[in-house]
Amino acid sequence: MSGNTFGTLFRITTWGESHGKGIGVVIDGCPSGLDLDETVIQAFLDRRRPGGSSASTHRREPDQAAILSGVFDGKTTGTPIAIMIANKDADSSAYASLADIYRPGHGDISYQAKYGIRDWRGGGRASARETAARVAAGAVAGLVLDRMGIRVTSWTRELGGVRAMLTDMDEIFRNPFGCPDRDAAARMAARVEEVRKRGDSIGGIVEILATGVPAGLGEPVFDKLDADMAKALMGIGAVKGVEIGDGFDAASRLGSENNDPITPEGFTSNHAGGILAGISNGDDLKIRVAVKPIPSISISQQTINTRQEPVALSIKGRHDIAAIPRINPVCEAMVRIVLADHILRQQSAVR
Amino acid sequence: MSGNTFGTLFRITTWGESHGKGIGVVIDGCPSGLDLDETVIQAFLDRRRPGGSSASTHRREPDQAAILSGVFDGKTTGTPIAIMIANKDADSSAYASLADIYRPGHGDISYQAKYGIRDWRGGGRASARETAARVAAGAVAGLVLDRMGIRVTSWTRELGGVRAMLTDMDEIFRNPFGCPDRDAAARMAARVEEVRKRGDSIGGIVEILATGVPAGLGEPVFDKLDADMAKALMGIGAVKGVEIGDGFDAASRLGSENNDPITPEGFTSNHAGGILAGISNGDDLKIRVAVKPIPSISISQQTINTRQEPVALSIKGRHDIAAIPRINPVCEAMVRIVLADHILRQQSAVR
Amino acid sequence: MSGNTFGTLFRITTWGESHGKGIGVVIDGCPSGLDLDETVIQAFLDRRRPGGSSASTHRREPDQAAILSGVFDGKTTGTPIAIMIANKDADSSAYASLADIYRPGHGDISYQAKYGIRDWRGGGRASARETAARVAAGAVAGLVLDRMGIRVTSWTRELGGVRAMLTDMDEIFRNPFGCPDRDAAARMAARVEEVRKRGDSIGGIVEILATGVPAGLGEPVFDKLDADMAKALMGIGAVKGVEIGDGFDAASRLGSENNDPITPEGFTSNHAGGILAGISNGDDLKIRVAVKPIPSISISQQTINTRQEPVALSIKGRHDIAAIPRINPVCEAMVRIVLADHILRQQSAVR
Amino acid sequence: MSGNTFGTLFRITTWGESHGKGIGVVIDGCPSGLDLDETVIQAFLDRRRPGGSSASTHRREPDQAAILSGVFDGKTTGTPIAIMIANKDADSSAYASLADIYRPGHGDISYQAKYGIRDWRGGGRASARETAARVAAGAVAGLVLDRMGIRVTSWTRELGGVRAMLTDMDEIFRNPFGCPDRDAAARMAARVEEVRKRGDSIGGIVEILATGVPAGLGEPVFDKLDADMAKALMGIGAVKGVEIGDGFDAASRLGSENNDPITPEGFTSNHAGGILAGISNGDDLKIRVAVKPIPSISISQQTINTRQEPVALSIKGRHDIAAIPRINPVCEAMVRIVLADHILRQQSAVR
């Protein structure tokens, strides 16, 4: 059992269900003396809000974070920081008809197998709503990174088969898809509309970049920086693949192409994605994740109910068409949390 | 610090360097009463041996496992199982010239940044030799899986750009590349020879399949089964990418295509790779990893020494051309270890 | 850092300060399917309330627990159970004068040394109020014990130098000191009054008994059942000593006196306190803890302020005269939590 | 399961049985750059040797430590330090007659209940021989303490009912009982002889002192410094009680007596034992442990065999009469390990 805690020294424990009283996180191990109030967290939560993008629902979901402990006079005290985000408008009635049906692509059937009981309201613990707690924790982790000048950003590299080029990184904050390619963003919008009309959904690829990462982070041989990143990101609901640096492209390359030459001024390329033998090498971290299509679609699907009878299911109501771009700040948050943890771990080394 | 322990209940701690006295593993949490002797472990270690494949070195490396504790009268006692594999023919002289040079693509530079000291003999702790301890531990984990009828296999899906079809799974055990496609295996052999002559190296893709996995394994929300698999596999030296089920292919698919329909007889497809919301759904686990080319090549490379001076480096001597197929049993071992751990974790649930 | 999480499989993480928004606990790893609502928790919290005993303050502190997650339709779901107890009447004004003074016997000076900052309102994180979260978690742990017929009770063995005999165990629930000796309870009441008038405080000894504990709980060699009990109990604020079975008395005994003879019907004595080699032997667990006097006294004390200047301190206002008997249910709670954890750990063994 | 790992950042995992191939420890998290070779460890192991004291056996047991990994050019590398102590003269024949008998006071019956199997040779994993691995690990932990000027010593305060005064601390290294009181040491010798003749055994009390401990070590609220000390020490085989500072004596004292006054020059007394609210306060750590009599005695005892039949057992052969003084360096080792761990943990705090 267990499994709702992540990290060794910067350690987060999350709780909550989609339609329960709220969701929350306890952050244990945050250094003392950092400036923190709700606005720091809110800025990140707002990026995860629906409505900004036409790929996302218009459901009202204010997501207001309350800090319940660990902060005194505007500074972290070194004791656990508890943050809660109350569920305000959870209306479970739409889910009542799903109480005894296993939705394809969702965790309904696996949760039932595991626990013999499941909170079917809004997906319960398996809801993407859970990730709001991660975003809140990531905001706090960011305070640890800020001190060192580390910056984490993310963007949509692909959505519904539309691939973006890295034409203008400022574009990320201008279009609703977090896409660094204005033309691609326009095609993504069209793709989303087309899919929405069909009652279907789409997936995509998110890229995360961390700059300013010092060399030396990561613990061989199991808690490698890339291994912990892989766990952190694969553990986000819709993620089905994780790549470090060139990832799967490296598989078809020659060693002479893939090795990053070293000069007194640094590496001349970054196929490795900033990690060698599981330890950061001082170059930028480059990570890519594959996001599957949202499983809730209105197109009719074949499934069964809890009595093992066949059922045709069409999921009504407003749902996100894609986890992207709402998942992007979640990916960033997990990367920040992993980095904060490994920064603290490395601090424990000899000085 | 730390980082050399993996698992929660089936927990392994490894130690050792490439050219030290040996490498080893302590397995804590293995259930009592399982039949175990050295032959069980040796069978797996032999699959990791060099020489079988022309992609691997001919260096003699017998890798004989000795069980030092935790077994009595041929059965596990529930106490820690310590296994050691002595380093028999470690000749560090070939590495002396590399003592002050950072090899591109290796962890030399990142280890130095982290620890301020590194054992340069044969790559020290960062050597692939470390994985022998994982294979030994995986053999023991297999005993837990055997009781439940779980079977883990792996094969080479791609090597040096040569892609295999799944034409004959028995072929895996017949050709030196662990390749389920006889024709592809022949082309892989040719590719390896060609690359070897050039003094270069190649990467590839390994696929792992686990059958007989019961539904209900995996702990939301961070210790998901796929998250732990991602960590376990990304933590293997040469791995740069991990996919569950269709992985990155899912990113460009529609929800209606990607969801696996459910019938009273089970799922009618397995795009999910046997995991829903981080918990096994009773279907086969399907995992894919990207393996980068071996970084040690005899082609001259640009690098620096520990005095930050530019150096042209050509690594002589016999090296593996590819981590595949020696890495395949390592991947299997990590999958077995994760499964054994989650089986024990699930046993702690209500009954 | 970290340190606010306890347990391996039945794992609790607590948060909160005395005069912050509240205190809470996240319980991860509680089996699914157990009946749980707030009344289960409230019953235990009420035993920790002040006012019942003249040794305790009359401060109003309702301590109402709210379950925020992990329960659905009155049953635990296997997901994290978050419980919060809001701080209702926290008036920090009385503490304002203590903001820059280190109270003797309190953690003020050590917290300041550790974190460089401290929440001085009501002792902040170091307040005994923190233990309400433990009591709530212990109530949930009790559900795991109930299934197995394990029962945990505690009583006051000594208070302010007044020693109780085990004359009538029902008396524990009748007198305000949780004392199994009516006469001793009367003398304790007199002692408390006398000490209160002097503005001083007293300590005592609590004994905890667990019956129905199956043999086989505890993990050698570090996570022994007695080792985990010692950690759990010594980690309660005022506890300065822990004994298992005969404890320090065993030090002056002969082996022939101290060994518990074994018969086909069981042990004929229980000097060991139910634990052999760190594993429960099927007999009752017997544990004893030493509780120091409450450090807040109105008698003038010598101390310093944060500017390192000498100060004479007399702490005014209503304070408990003794941690006993409010600490008794906290001790029970920790014993329940340790037992629940080890029950789940033992379930992961071979079956 | 599990339980053979101790510590968070300075983390040790031990393995081995009394009559197996050896015992060992893997130390993960030791900082890099510390001077280490076998002689450092051997010095501590030699203090644990039998024969020095008439309270101990004359059995030959050389206990030679071999460092298998983690050290390069005489310095720690930051990678796991594996240490093995081979079992040289394990003769299990004397134990053959005990294979089906549960020895009173030993873990035979509880191990059997837990695992359904036990290595009966020499007590297997439950043998005191296991502590040699702790002593080896403690020697390495000492390197971390040395850098900070922390010194840990221990002495015998009581043996077989003979109580020592702290008359001359140098005496500790002069008499075979590690006793700071020459006269008491002589009476202890007489007591030991008397008990040996009767075929019985004795217990005692060990005190441990750590000087130079900086303020700020210990993590509230569960991983308090005293809580971790209690776990570390109670987890040693024969220990039945642990006290911090005045321990049980504090229970009968007034707050005005027990609080340590604070002056600009420091505390004027040390009833607290150097720990306030679980965090070191800069004063000396004072800890006391109760050690039960050795359970193996030649006096006939009542017990049962594995067929649940009554048996009269008289254990022949040379056995230690008391765990003291061989247990003293084990206690020191555990204190050093806890301190090293908390030093590294505190280093991860803000700087």
Side-chain angles (χ1 to χ4, degrees), chain D residues 249-329:
Chain D
D249 282 352
S252 55
R253 227 175 265 136
L254 293 167
S256 57
E257 296 166 338
N258 192 62
N259 285 347
D260 299 307
I262 317 179
T263 73
E265 292 73 40
F267 298 92
T268 62
S269 62
N270 189 7
H271 299 297
I275 301 178
L276 283 171
I279 303 174
S280 64
N281 64 14
D283 214 333
D284 294 345
L285 296 196
K286 295 168 72 173
I287 308 173
R288 198 174 303 105
V289 304
V291 180
K292 75 172 185 177
I294 291 278
S296 289
I297 54 176
S298 59
I299 292 177
S300 178
Q301 299 180 84
Q302 180 183 5
T303 188
I304 60 172
N305 62 21
T306 54
R307 292 175 303 281
Q308 301 290 313
E309 300 159 339
V311 173
L313 175 68
S314 169
I315 300 174
K316 302 302 180 191
R318 287 186 175 281
H319 290 93
D320 284 359
I321 296 302
I324 292 174
R326 292 185 68 192
I327 206 174
N328 301 22

Side-chain angles (χ1 to χ4, degrees), chain C residues 1-6 12-14 102-107 109-111 113-115 125-126 130 134 158-161 191 195 198 200-205 215-224 226-228 230-232 234-237 239-264 267-268 271-273 275-277 279-281 288-297 299 301-304 308-310 334 345-346 348-350, chain D residues 1-6 12-14 102-107 109-111 113-115 125-126 130 134 158-161 191 195 198 200-205 215-224 226-228 230-232 234-237 239-264 267-268 271-273 275-277 279-281 288-297 299 301-304 308-310 334 345-346 348-350:
Chain C
M1 305 282 284
S2 307
N4 296 276
T5 295
F6 186 81
I12 69 170
T13 301
T14 68
Y102 299 135
R103 294 169 298 163
H106 280 285
I109 196 167
S110 51
Y111 265 67
K114 182 173 191 66
Y115 296 113
R125 181 72 180 142
E130 168 259 323
R134 303 184 186 216
E158 190 180 308
L159 183 64
R191 175 78 171 135
V195 169
R198 280 201 265 155
D200 215 331
S201 66
I202 49 176
I205 295 173
L217 303 186
E219 302 293 332
V221 295
F222 297 114
D223 297 353
K224 285 175 171 147
D226 40 3
D228 276 356
K231 172 166 178 161
M234 193 71 91
I236 302 173
V239 173
K240 298 300 285 185
V242 179
E243 293 179 314
I244 306 294
D246 289 353
F248 278 84
D249 282 352
S252 55
R253 227 175 265 136
L254 293 168
S256 57
E257 297 165 340
N258 191 63
N259 285 347
D260 298 309
I262 317 178
T263 74
F267 296 93
T268 62
H271 300 295
I275 301 178
L276 283 171
I279 303 174
S280 63
N281 63 16
R288 198 175 302 107
V289 304
V291 180
K292 75 172 186 178
I294 291 278
S296 289
I297 54 176
I299 292 177
Q301 300 180 83
Q302 181 182 4
T303 187
I304 59 172
Q308 301 290 313
E309 300 160 340
M334 293 311 295
R345 292 177 82 168
Q346 180 62 1
S348 71
V350 86
Chain D
M1 306 283 282
S2 306
N4 297 276
T5 295
F6 185 82
I12 70 170
T13 300
T14 68
Y102 299 135
R103 294 168 299 163
H106 280 284
I109 196 168
S110 51
Y111 265 68
K114 181 172 192 66
Y115 297 113
R125 181 71 180 142
E130 169 259 323
R134 304 185 185 215
E158 190 180 308
L159 182 63
R191 177 77 171 134
V195 169
R198 281 201 265 155
D200 215 331
S201 66
I202 50 176
I205 295 174
L217 302 187
E219 304 292 331
V221 293
F222 297 114
D223 297 352
K224 284 174 171 149
D226 40 2
D228 276 356
K231 172 166 177 160
M234 194 71 93
I236 302 173
V239 173
K240 299 300 284 186
V242 178
E243 293 180 314
I244 305 294
D246 289 353
F248 278 84
D249 282 352
S252 55
R253 227 175 265 136
L254 293 167
S256 57
E257 296 166 338
N258 192 62
N259 285 347
D260 299 307
I262 317 179
T263 73
F267 298 92
T268 62
H271 299 297
I275 301 178
L276 283 171
I279 303 174
S280 64
N281 64 14
R288 198 174 303 105
V289 304
V291 180
K292 75 172 185 177
I294 291 278
S296 289
I297 54 176
I299 292 177
Q301 299 180 84
Q302 180 183 5
T303 188
I304 60 172
Q308 301 290 313
E309 300 159 339
M334 292 312 293
R345 292 177 82 167
Q346 179 63 1
S348 72
V350 86

Side-chain angles (χ1 to χ4, degrees), chain A:
Chain A
M1 305 284 283
S2 306
N4 297 275
T5 294
F6 186 81
T8 295
L9 289 180
F10 188 92
R11 177 176 274 203
I12 69 171
T13 300
T14 69
W15 56 268
E17 286 88 29
S18 179
H19 287 206
K21 293 193 180 158
I23 57 166
V25 60
V26 182
I27 303 165
D28 196 10
C30 183
S32 58
L34 303 176
D35 295 319
L36 178 63
D37 63 19
E38 273 89 353
T39 63
V40 172
I41 297 161
Q42 202 60 44
F44 285 90
L45 281 178
D46 289 347
R47 287 189 50 211
R48 195 191 149 276
R49 283 188 64 187
S53 153
S54 53
S56 302
T57 76
H58 302 278
R59 184 159 71 115
R60 206 102 308 269
E61 205 182 325
D63 274 1
Q64 281 195 309
I67 298 174
L68 303 177
S69 69
V71 177
F72 181 63
D73 276 353
K75 291 196 181 295
T76 59
T77 60
T79 58
I81 301 167
I83 301 170
M84 178 172 175
I85 301 161
N87 289 337
K88 289 186 181 162
D89 64 347
D91 174 9
S92 306
S93 61
Y95 286 87
S97 64
L98 296 171
D100 67 345
I101 292 178
Y102 298 135
R103 294 168 299 163
H106 280 285
D108 301 346
I109 196 167
S110 51
Y111 264 68
Q112 190 71 36
K114 182 173 191 66
Y115 297 112
I117 182 177
R118 77 195 156 88
D119 182 346
W120 46 260
R121 303 167 304 170
R125 181 74 181 140
S127 165
R129 182 156 179 70
E130 167 259 322
T131 59
R134 303 185 187 215
V135 170
V140 179
L143 301 179
V144 177
L145 275 54
D146 288 346
R147 293 189 298 164
M148 306 184 69
I150 300 173
R151 199 159 164 239
V152 178
T153 48
S154 69
W155 55 82
T156 302
R157 188 60 186 253
E158 191 181 307
L159 183 64
V162 179
R163 186 143 186 104
M165 307 301 289
L166 304 187
T167 49
D168 180 1
M169 303 314 283
D170 290 336
E171 214 17 68
I172 295 168
F173 307 98
R174 288 196 205 114
N175 66 67
F177 298 103
C179 175
D181 176 338
R182 196 171 182 171
D183 291 347
R187 277 177 285 134
M188 287 174 184
R191 177 75 172 137
V192 161
E193 271 322 293
E194 169 203 355
V195 170
R196 187 193 304 279
K197 277 174 197 151
R198 280 201 264 156
D200 216 332
S201 66
I202 50 176
I205 294 174
V206 178
E207 288 182 345
I208 307 115
L209 178 78
T211 60
V213 179
L217 303 186
E219 303 294 330
V221 296
F222 297 115
D223 296 354
K224 285 174 170 147
L225 189 58
D226 40 2
D228 276 357
M229 288 292 177
K231 172 166 179 162
L233 293 163
M234 193 71 94
I236 301 173
V239 173
K240 299 299 285 185
V242 178
E243 293 179 315
I244 306 294
D246 289 354
F248 277 84
D249 283 353
S252 56
R253 226 175 266 136
L254 293 167
S256 56
E257 296 166 341
N258 191 63
N259 285 347
D260 298 309
I262 316 178
T263 73
E265 290 74 40
F267 296 93
T268 62
S269 62
N270 189 5
H271 300 297
I275 301 177
L276 283 172
I279 302 173
S280 64
N281 63 16
D283 214 332
D284 294 345
L285 295 197
K286 296 167 71 172
I287 308 175
R288 198 176 301 106
V289 303
V291 180
K292 75 171 186 178
I294 291 277
S296 288
I297 55 176
S298 60
I299 293 176
S300 178
Q301 300 180 83
Q302 183 182 3
T303 188
I304 59 173
N305 60 22
T306 53
R307 292 175 303 282
Q308 300 290 312
E309 300 159 340
V311 173
L313 175 67
S314 170
I315 299 175
K316 301 303 180 190
R318 288 185 176 281
H319 289 94
D320 285 358
I321 297 302
I324 293 173
R326 293 184 69 192
I327 206 174
N328 301 21
V330 181
C331 294
E332 282 182 29
M334 293 311 293
V335 168
R336 281 191 187 93
I337 290 164
V338 172
L339 284 172
D341 191 36
H342 278 282
I343 287 168
L344 298 187
R345 292 176 82 167
Q346 179 62 2
Q347 275 184 201
S348 72
V350 85
R351 326 183 240 174

Side-chain angles (χ1 to χ4, degrees), chain B residues 22-291:
Chain B
I23 58 168
V25 60
V26 182
I27 303 163
D28 196 10
C30 182
S32 59
L34 302 176
D35 295 318
L36 178 64
D37 63 19
E38 273 90 351
T39 62
V40 172
I41 298 161
Q42 202 61 44
F44 285 90
L45 281 179
D46 289 347
R47 286 190 49 212
R48 196 191 147 276
R49 282 185 65 185
S53 152
S54 52
S56 304
T57 75
H58 302 279
R59 185 159 70 116
R60 206 99 308 265
E61 208 182 322
D63 274 359
Q64 281 196 309
I67 297 173
L68 303 177
S69 68
V71 177
F72 181 62
D73 277 352
K75 291 198 181 296
T76 59
T77 60
T79 58
I81 301 167
I83 302 171
M84 178 172 175
I85 302 161
N87 288 337
K88 289 189 181 161
D89 63 348
D91 175 9
S92 305
S93 59
Y95 287 88
S97 63
L98 296 171
D100 66 346
I101 292 178
Y102 298 136
R103 293 168 299 163
H106 280 284
D108 301 345
I109 195 167
S110 51
Y111 264 68
Q112 189 72 34
K114 183 173 191 65
Y115 297 112
I117 182 177
R118 77 196 155 87
D119 182 345
W120 45 260
R121 302 167 304 170
R125 181 73 180 140
S127 165
R129 182 156 178 71
E130 169 259 324
T131 60
R134 303 184 186 216
V135 170
V140 179
L143 301 179
V144 177
L145 275 54
D146 288 346
R147 294 189 298 165
M148 307 183 70
I150 300 173
R151 199 159 165 239
V152 178
T153 47
S154 69
W155 54 82
T156 302
R157 188 58 187 255
E158 191 181 307
L159 183 64
V162 178
R163 185 142 186 105
M165 307 302 289
L166 304 187
T167 49
D168 181 0
M169 303 315 282
D170 290 337
E171 213 16 68
I172 295 167
F173 307 98
R174 289 196 205 112
N175 66 67
F177 299 103
C179 175
D181 176 338
R182 194 171 183 172
D183 291 346
R187 277 176 285 134
M188 287 174 185
R191 177 76 171 137
V192 161
E193 271 321 294
E194 171 204 353
V195 169
R196 187 194 304 279
K197 277 175 196 151
R198 281 203 263 158
D200 216 332
S201 66
I202 51 176
I205 294 173
V206 177
E207 288 182 346
I208 307 114
L209 178 78
T211 61
V213 178
L217 303 187
E219 302 294 330
V221 296
F222 298 114
D223 297 352
K224 284 174 171 147
L225 189 59
D226 40 3
D228 276 356
M229 289 291 179
K231 172 166 178 161
L233 292 163
M234 194 71 93
I236 302 173
V239 173
K240 298 299 285 186
V242 178
E243 294 179 314
I244 306 294
D246 288 354
F248 278 84
D249 283 352
S252 57
R253 226 175 267 135
L254 293 167
S256 57
E257 296 166 340
N258 192 62
N259 285 348
D260 299 309
I262 316 179
T263 73
E265 291 75 40
F267 298 93
T268 63
S269 62
N270 189 6
H271 299 297
I275 301 177
L276 283 171
I279 302 173
S280 63
N281 63 14
D283 214 333
D284 294 345
L285 296 196
K286 295 167 71 173
I287 308 174
R288 198 175 302 106
V289 304
V291 179

Side-chain angles (χ1 to χ4, degrees), chain C:
Chain C
M1 305 282 284
S2 307
N4 296 276
T5 295
F6 186 81
T8 296
L9 290 179
F10 188 92
R11 176 177 274 202
I12 69 170
T13 301
T14 68
W15 56 268
E17 286 88 29
S18 179
H19 287 206
K21 293 193 181 159
I23 58 166
V25 60
V26 183
I27 303 164
D28 196 11
C30 183
S32 59
L34 302 176
D35 294 319
L36 178 63
D37 62 19
E38 272 89 354
T39 61
V40 172
I41 298 161
Q42 201 61 46
F44 286 90
L45 281 178
D46 289 346
R47 286 190 49 212
R48 195 191 150 276
R49 282 187 64 186
S53 154
S54 53
S56 303
T57 77
H58 302 279
R59 185 160 69 115
R60 204 102 309 267
E61 205 182 328
D63 275 0
Q64 281 196 307
I67 297 174
L68 303 177
S69 69
V71 176
F72 181 62
D73 277 351
K75 290 196 183 293
T76 59
T77 60
T79 58
I81 301 167
I83 301 170
M84 178 171 174
I85 301 161
N87 288 338
K88 289 186 182 162
D89 63 347
D91 175 9
S92 306
S93 60
Y95 287 88
S97 63
L98 296 171
D100 66 345
I101 292 178
Y102 299 135
R103 294 169 298 163
H106 280 285
D108 301 345
I109 196 167
S110 51
Y111 265 67
Q112 190 71 35
K114 182 173 191 66
Y115 296 113
I117 182 176
R118 76 197 157 87
D119 183 346
W120 46 259
R121 302 166 304 172
R125 181 72 180 142
S127 165
R129 181 154 181 71
E130 168 259 323
T131 59
R134 303 184 186 216
V135 171
V140 179
L143 302 179
V144 177
L145 274 54
D146 287 346
R147 294 189 298 164
M148 306 183 71
I150 299 173
R151 198 157 166 242
V152 178
T153 47
S154 69
W155 54 82
T156 301
R157 188 60 188 253
E158 190 180 308
L159 183 64
V162 179
R163 186 142 186 105
M165 307 303 288
L166 304 187
T167 49
D168 180 0
M169 303 316 282
D170 290 335
E171 214 16 66
I172 295 169
F173 307 98
R174 289 196 205 114
N175 65 67
F177 299 103
C179 174
D181 176 337
R182 197 172 182 170
D183 291 345
R187 277 176 284 133
M188 287 174 185
R191 175 78 171 135
V192 162
E193 271 322 294
E194 168 203 356
V195 169
R196 187 194 305 279
K197 277 175 198 151
R198 280 201 265 155
D200 215 331
S201 66
I202 49 176
I205 295 173
V206 178
E207 288 183 343
I208 307 116
L209 178 78
T211 60
V213 179
L217 303 186
E219 302 293 332
V221 295
F222 297 114
D223 297 353
K224 285 175 171 147
L225 189 58
D226 40 3
D228 276 356
M229 289 292 178
K231 172 166 178 161
L233 293 163
M234 193 71 91
I236 302 173
V239 173
K240 298 300 285 185
V242 179
E243 293 179 314
I244 306 294
D246 289 353
F248 278 84
D249 282 352
S252 55
R253 227 175 265 136
L254 293 168
S256 57
E257 297 165 340
N258 191 63
N259 285 347
D260 298 309
I262 317 178
T263 74
E265 292 74 40
F267 296 93
T268 62
S269 61
N270 188 7
H271 300 295
I275 301 178
L276 283 171
I279 303 174
S280 63
N281 63 16
D283 214 332
D284 295 344
L285 296 196
K286 296 168 72 172
I287 308 174
R288 198 175 302 107
V289 304
V291 180
K292 75 172 186 178
I294 291 278
S296 289
I297 54 176
S298 59
I299 292 177
S300 177
Q301 300 180 83
Q302 181 182 4
T303 187
I304 59 172
N305 61 21
T306 53
R307 292 176 302 283
Q308 301 290 313
E309 300 160 340
V311 174
L313 175 69
S314 170
I315 300 174
K316 302 301 179 193
R318 288 187 176 281
H319 289 94
D320 284 359
I321 297 301
I324 293 173
R326 293 185 68 193
I327 206 172
N328 300 22
V330 181
C331 294
E332 283 183 28
M334 293 311 295
V335 167
R336 283 193 185 92
I337 290 165
V338 171
L339 284 172
D341 191 36
H342 278 282
I343 287 167
L344 298 187
R345 292 177 82 168
Q346 180 62 1
Q347 275 185 201
S348 71
V350 86
R351 326 179 243 173

